[in-house]
Every structure is written in C-alpha cells, then in structure tokens.
Amino acid sequence: MPDAHPGTQQVIQDNRDYTLFSWSAQAQTSPIHMVGGQGSHFFDGDGQTWLDFSSQLININVGHQHPKVLQAIKDQVDRMCFAGPSFATDVRAELGKKLAEVTGLAKSFFTLGGSEANENAIKMAKLYTGRDKIITRYRSYHGATMGSMSASGDPRRWPVEPGIPGIVRVFDPYMYRPPMGGTAEAWEDGCITHIEEVIQMEGPHTIAAMLVEGITGSNGLLIPPDSYYPRLRALLDKYGILMIDDEVMSGFGRTGKWLATQHYGIVPDIVTCAKGLTSGYMPLGAVIVNQKIADYFETHFLAGGLTYSGHPVSLAAAIANLKVYEEEHLFEHTLEMGRHLGTRLEAMKRKYACVGDVRYIGLFSVLELVKDKKTKEPLAPFNGTSPEMAKLAAHIKSRFVYAYSRFNFLWVCPPLVVTREELDHGLDVYEEALALVDEMIGAAVAAD
C-alpha cells in the first residue's frame, strides 16, 4: 500500500476550485485524489488501494502502468514527440497496417478520441454516399462533440438539442425490455423489421449510414441476439446504407475479440475506436474504413483534419498496447475470466431479489437492478437515481472497489489483466451491497 499524500485534501480542493468536472453539477462532485496504480488497482492520496472494477472509463484494458506500454511512450518521446498530420512516420504506417489486419478493413484516419472518431465517421459516410441522414439507436452514446452527441440517444444529448440535422433514431435490441410491451421472442424478429420500416418511411435514398455501438455500453450493456447483426448487415446492404460500428467501448479485447461485432461474423463498412486502442495511456481514436471508401477518397477531397491526427507518441502507445494483447494472450484470458464472471452473475440473479437481469460477454457486463422481478420496475428511474442505488454505490465505495453505476445499472468491467482472486473479491463486495438493497426493498414492502 502506498504512503498517504500529505497534501491530498488541498489537491482535491484546488481541483474543485480551479477545474470543471464532466457530466456533473460541480457542487456535487467528490473526486478521489488518484496518485498511481498497478495492474487492476489504483492508489489514492490517503494511501488506500482501490480495485478498479470499471477500468476507469472502461478503457484501461491492459491495467495500470503496464511497463511495455510505458517504455514505448518513453522511447518515442526520445525519438520524436510530434509530427504534423501531413507527414509520414514509421509508427503511423505500422499502426495503420495492424488495424487493417485485425479489423478486415483498409485504411485508418487518426483522431484523439472516440467522439472525434464518430464525428469524422459521420462526415465520411455523408461524403461517400452523398446522403444526409444517419440512423442511430435510442439507447446509445457516441461522444460529447456536437455531431456525436446529436447522434447519441443517451439523455445527455438533451442539453445540446436540436444538434445537427438528419439524425433518425430506432429502438434497440433490448431483449429484457422489448418496446411496446412485446416479448423477447417477438422482438428478436421485430427489431429488424422495425428498422426497415423506418428506412422506408425516411427514404432509403436519404440515409447515408446506420451508426451502432458493437455492444451498447453506458446505456445498459445490451447484447443483441445472434441473429441481429447478420440480418442488420443484410438489410443495410439491401438499401446501400453503410454500417458504422462504434467499438470505442466494446472493442479491443473487452469482449474477447478485436471487435464485438466479430462475435456475429459480420464486417462493418466503418469502425470507430479509441479507449482500448491505447488502454488510455495516450489519447487516440481512429476511423477505419473499407476498401471502397478508401478508394473513393483517392480521387475525392477528404474534408477533415486535426492538428494532432497521427500523433507519434499516441501511435507508439497503441502499437505497444496491441502487442501486449497478443503477447500476453489477454483475449483468451478475458474469455476465461468472462466465463467465471458469467457463472457468478447468474448465481446473483438467482439469489438476490433486486437483480432483474445480468448481461455479459467477456469482461463487459452489467447487472440490471429492479424493485420487483415480476413487474421489472427499475430500482431507479431512467436518467435518475434512488435511495437504494445511492446506498449500493456508497457501500461499494466504502470497501475501496471503484465501480460504475448509472440509473438502475451496475457494471462489472475490470481490466483485462484481472485475476480470478481479484474478480471474486470485487464480486463479493457487490454481493454485500445487493444484500443491503434486498433489505431496503423488503422493508419497503413490509411498510406497505
């Protein structure tokens, strides 16, 4: 355990006084003073060690402070810190070639994060097709820039609306809560026929692309049925509509493959990525396009650019990070740990009254919490919280497990290097919190 930092309260106060924290009312923020980390843990200024059960923002895939990635960054800094986006560099060539290999696509355009990647993917799709509309899903998040936020279905889009024009939304493959009161079995077929009807009503000739998260992340981790992506791929091909696959959160090993859509045997036209591309060690995103789109921009002007596109230090971090995935067999480890995680989650679903559903693929998982399993009443309302969720989150935090919870969802997304012992420890803490929620639900029922 690291030593306590003598000025930690001052650091927190200065952060509060002089900086703004995202997605929050500033007076309600209570940041942890983070001073370091190792593997699946990080350290705070009070000398406490935390189990990072959300990989920060579901991006520290190779764990904190991996020596091979750190060394690659240091070596690149010594060679060359910066080259403008119009220059060729060895790291740009190496990473572009590797991304084409692992995705089955052709060329990459580099950005500094996922929001910029989605912003540029939307622009490229419109340029390539000459069409204006983008179909997205209601339970989606694609970033915080104006275009990517407009494309999101997430309620965080509300403050920026009306946003950019041309966004058309459809319902999701949310099998636990099919829209309009249907059954999961009916919705497995209906979610695709619903999209086709929307396409017809909007005019196929007006729609450039459909933008989807490979696996929906921060809006409930929705895992489509096996038939979803093959049928969607065929539907979009039928109308000449591109598929943009947002793998910012679900890609690069999080589900045990390079891309979540690879579990379904399909190849998108455009892939966007960030987070796990460098495991957060340096800011980097990418838009990866197929050969037809790449060929189009051989003779047509690519109207887009960023000062830090192709930043050499970020590219070097990504190259080293991808090597760690392969050399340390982290995808295989993710699938092994994911099987154990799934067994534990299914047991929690049977044991606790508040666990309505569990969804998991690799080390990408969520518990959906309810007040009543029969009615599926959420433990907290959409875009809100509740005393039960507040108590659950507080207990987990008190045990120095760093968890991501939102609305009535509780995620389990540790670094891909997590050990079985670490995984079990975090899940044991979750079970303590779930038992407290069950007591609160029981007390409420008794009071009625």
Side-chain angles (χ1 to χ4, degrees), residues 126-381:
K126 291 184 176 186
L127 290 170
Y128 174 74
T129 63
R131 303 173 181 179
D132 294 325
K133 294 177 184 175
I134 304 292
I135 299 175
T136 67
R137 300 187 298 211
Y138 271 106
R139 295 180 186 270
S140 65
Y141 179 73
H142 298 293
T145 54
M146 185 59 74
S148 58
M149 180 53 79
S150 299
S152 301
D154 188 299
R156 284 175 286 184
R157 80 177 192 275
W158 298 343
V160 306
E161 288 183 326
I164 67 168
I167 301 300
V168 178
R169 294 186 183 85
V170 297
F171 288 112
D172 312 76
Y174 192 178
M175 311 317 290
Y176 181 64
R177 296 184 188 276
M180 295 164 284
T183 65
E185 293 75 18
W187 187 234
E188 182 171 348
D189 177 67
C191 60
I192 299 297
T193 57
H194 155 67
I195 294 170
E196 181 162 26
E197 185 169 359
V198 170
I199 289 171
Q200 291 170 346
M201 295 299 101
E202 291 290 336
H205 64 288
T206 69
I207 302 170
M210 182 169 177
L211 171 59
V212 297
E213 290 177 271
I215 300 291
T216 295
S218 57
N219 282 272
L221 211 151
L222 309 179
I223 300 176
D226 291 343
S227 65
Y228 181 82
Y229 274 120
R231 291 183 61 205
L232 181 61
R233 173 79 272 186
L235 174 64
L236 299 180
D237 287 344
K238 176 180 175 180
Y239 292 105
I241 298 170
L242 300 178
M243 179 187 286
I244 305 173
D245 177 20
D246 176 348
E247 295 278 355
V248 171
M249 189 175 285
S250 60
F252 291 85
R254 179 52 57 183
T255 70
K257 289 186 179 291
W258 292 106
L259 307 175
T261 47
Q262 289 174 342
H263 289 280
Y264 298 86
I266 62 113
V267 179
D269 299 296
I270 302 175
V271 164
T272 59
C273 56
K275 293 186 184 286
L277 181 57
T278 67
S279 288
Y281 282 59
M282 290 294 295
L284 184 67
V287 184
I288 315 166
V289 301
N290 68 17
Q291 192 64 57
K292 289 183 179 180
I293 299 172
D295 289 345
Y296 175 84
F297 287 114
E298 286 293 303
T299 55
H300 294 79
F301 187 68
L302 176 55
L306 300 160
T307 299
Y308 300 107
S309 175
H311 195 288
V313 184
S314 294
L315 300 181
I319 292 165
N321 181 66
L322 302 192
K323 287 180 180 177
V324 169
Y325 289 144
E326 295 183 312
E327 293 171 358
E328 299 186 9
H329 307 287
L330 286 188
F331 292 5
E332 295 87 341
H333 179 72
T334 296
L335 293 172
E336 180 185 351
M337 291 298 99
R339 286 188 288 270
H340 178 62
L341 171 60
T343 299
R344 289 285 312 259
L345 292 176
E346 291 290 353
M348 291 182 199
K349 182 179 175 181
R350 291 190 297 269
K351 182 175 181 180
Y352 297 100
C354 63
V355 181
D357 194 29
V358 293
R359 298 184 284 274
Y360 48 89
I361 180 169
L363 288 171
F364 202 27
S365 67
V366 77
L367 297 91
E368 179 160 354
L369 305 180
V370 297
K371 293 183 178 180
D372 187 304
K373 285 190 177 184
K374 290 182 180 179
T375 66
K376 300 183 182 179
E377 180 186 356
L379 194 63

